[in-house]
Amino acid sequence: MATIIDGKQIAQQIRDGLKTEVARLQKERKITPGLAAVLVGENPASKVYVNMKAKACDETGIYSQKIPLPADTPQKKLIELVHGLNQDQKIHGILIQLPLPDHLDQHAVLQEVSPHKDVDGFHPMNLGKLLSAKFWDELPAFVPCTPAGCIQLIESTGIEIEGKNAVVVGRSVIVGKPVAMLLLAKQATVTIAHSRTKNLKEICRQADILVVAAGRPKLVTADMIKPGAVVIDVGVNRVGEKQLVGDVDFEAAKEVAGFITPVPGGVGPMTIAMLLRNTVESAQCSVS
Ligand code: NAD
C-alpha cells in the first residue's frame, strides 16, 4: 500500500515560509511582491484558477491584480497591456492564464512578457535556458510551476532522483517537456511517452518515477506501475457534474506504487505554491 503524498500539506508549508519572507521584504525593503493575472475570455476553469491564485496571493501578503479582458480582445491590445505590466513597478510577476482564445497567438503573446517577470516560466528565453541547463544549478530563475511542483513532491518522498528511470507521459510545453527537463537536470534517465507511443504499459512499468500528464482519466492502470514506484498524477479531469479525477486509476494504483499523489490534493496545490514562490523571488531580485 503506497504512502499518499499530501500535496496540500507540502504546499501549505511552502506558503507559510513565503508569508514570512513577504513580511520581511515589506519590513526591511518596503517591497510588496505583486502578481498580475491576465484572463482573456470566459473559460470557467480558467476563471476558477485565476481566482484561486489571487486568493493564495492575498493569504500570503502578495499584492494581486486580476485583469479580466473580453474574449474578443485584439492581440495588439493584449500585447500593449503586457508591455504596461512589464513597466509597472508594483508588479513582479505576470501571468497570462492559458489557454488563450483561438484568435490569439499564444506564443507571440508569451514572448512579450518580460523574462524577468515571467513567473510561469513560459517565455522562450526561460524555456531555452531550461533546455540548455545540464545541472540543477544552471536552471533559469523561473521554471514552469506545475513541473517544479512535481519535482518537489518527488523529493518529499526522500527517494533520490539521480540515476532513476523516470517516465513522463505527456509532451506538452506546459507540463510534459519541462518536467522531463527538470528530471534530467536531477540526473534521472528520462523517457517521454505521448499519444503515439507504442507499448505504453511496458514503458511505464520501467519507471521508478512515473509522472503522468495526459488529461485522460484512468489512462494509467495498476498493471502499468512498477511495484514501489513514485507516481505523480498531474491530470485533472472532470467526470460527471462535480467529480475531479486524475490520469491514474488511483484506488488500484495505490496498492502497487510506493508513493502516489491524489487528485485533487496532489500536484494542484503545488502549482500555486510554486507560482507564489516565483513571484516572491522576482520581488527579491527587484531593485527599489
Ligand atoms: P495537453 O493536452 O497539452 O497534453 C497532453 C499530452 O498527453 C500530449 O502530449 C499527448 O501526446 C499526451 N497523451 C494524450 N493521450 C495520451 C495517451 N492515450 N497515451 C499517452 N499519451 C497521451 O495537456 P497538458 O496541458 O499537458 O495537461 C495534461 C493534464 O494535466 C490535463 O489533465 C491538465 O488539466 C492537467 N494539468 C494540471 C495542472 C495542475 O496544476 N494540477 C497544471 C497543468 C495541467
Side-chain angles (χ1 to χ4, degrees):
M1 175 86 168
T3 301
I4 312 296
I5 305 173
D6 188 345
K8 226 171 149 181
Q9 194 200 344
I10 297 166
Q12 192 56 51
Q13 280 165 6
I14 294 168
R15 284 167 63 162
D16 290 345
L18 290 171
K19 200 170 173 176
T20 308
E21 177 55 18
V22 169
R24 194 193 65 77
L25 269 175
Q26 281 165 335
K27 191 163 173 243
E28 293 177 11
R29 292 183 54 198
K30 308 276 175 277
I31 296 173
T32 299
L35 175 75
V38 181
L39 172 66
V40 188
E42 301 290 329
N43 182 319
S46 293
K47 270 190 184 173
V48 171
Y49 290 137
V50 165
N51 286 335
M52 282 166 69
K53 290 167 187 173
K55 185 164 173 270
C57 281
D58 292 346
E59 287 168 8
T60 316
I62 297 172
Y63 164 71
S64 76
Q65 194 180 343
K66 274 193 275 179
I67 308 176
L69 296 172
D72 60 354
T73 301
Q75 180 149 315
K76 191 164 170 282
K77 196 160 175 208
L78 177 58
I79 288 176
E80 277 167 14
L81 176 101
V82 169
H83 287 170
L85 293 170
N86 286 343
Q87 301 300 325
D88 189 335
Q89 300 263 354
K90 293 193 301 300
I91 297 301
H92 304 94
I94 301 169
L95 169 127
I96 311 289
Q97 186 62 45
L98 303 177
L100 289 171
D102 286 345
H103 71 282
L104 295 169
D105 178 345
Q106 188 165 301
H107 185 74
V109 173
L110 292 175
Q111 196 160 279
E112 298 301 323
V113 173
S114 162
H116 306 291
K117 295 190 179 186
D118 174 37
V119 285
D120 254 343
F122 295 148
H123 188 282
M125 193 183 97
N126 286 323
L127 286 173
K129 281 187 181 172
L130 175 60
L131 190 66
S132 43
K134 193 168 173 200
F135 299 113
W136 192 257
D137 57 7
E138 294 168 6
L139 290 174
F142 302 124
V143 296
C145 301
T146 303
C150 291
I151 300 296
Q152 293 246 336
L153 291 173
I154 296 165
E155 292 196 316
S156 77
T157 65
I159 300 269
E160 180 73 44
I161 296 177
E162 184 174 332
K164 293 290 188 316
N165 283 339
V167 172
V168 178
V169 182
R171 57 176 161 183
S172 73
V173 178
I174 291 174
V175 191
K177 281 187 197 172
V179 95
M181 292 305 118
L182 293 179
L183 286 162
L184 262 185
K186 286 278 181 190
Q187 317 269 22
T189 302
V190 183
T191 304
I192 305 179
H194 49 81
S195 54
R196 304 295 169 93
T197 296
K198 296 196 168 69
N199 305 326
L200 186 65
K201 178 174 164 181
E202 283 68 27
I203 291 169
C204 288
R205 273 190 72 89
Q206 303 287 317
D208 304 305
I209 298 168
L210 180 61
V211 181
V212 192
R216 300 279 181 274
K218 296 197 180 176
L219 173 68
V220 171
T221 46
D223 58 341
M224 296 165 79
I225 294 171
K226 180 176 176 177
V230 179
V231 178
I232 306 293
D233 188 355
V234 184
V236 179
N237 307 289
R238 194 166 289 279
V239 179
E241 276 289 290
K242 286 211 169 119
Q243 204 195 352
L244 287 183
V245 299
D247 291 349
V248 177
D249 181 0
F250 180 80
E251 286 306 322
K254 76 178 188 330
E255 302 300 324
V256 184
F259 298 87
I260 189 167
T261 58
V263 178
V267 174
M270 290 300 287
T271 298
I272 295 182
M274 295 297 103
L275 175 71
L276 302 179
R277 191 181 70 180
N278 281 351
T279 306
V280 172
E281 284 180 0
S282 179
Q284 282 168 331
C285 295
S286 68
V287 256
S288 65

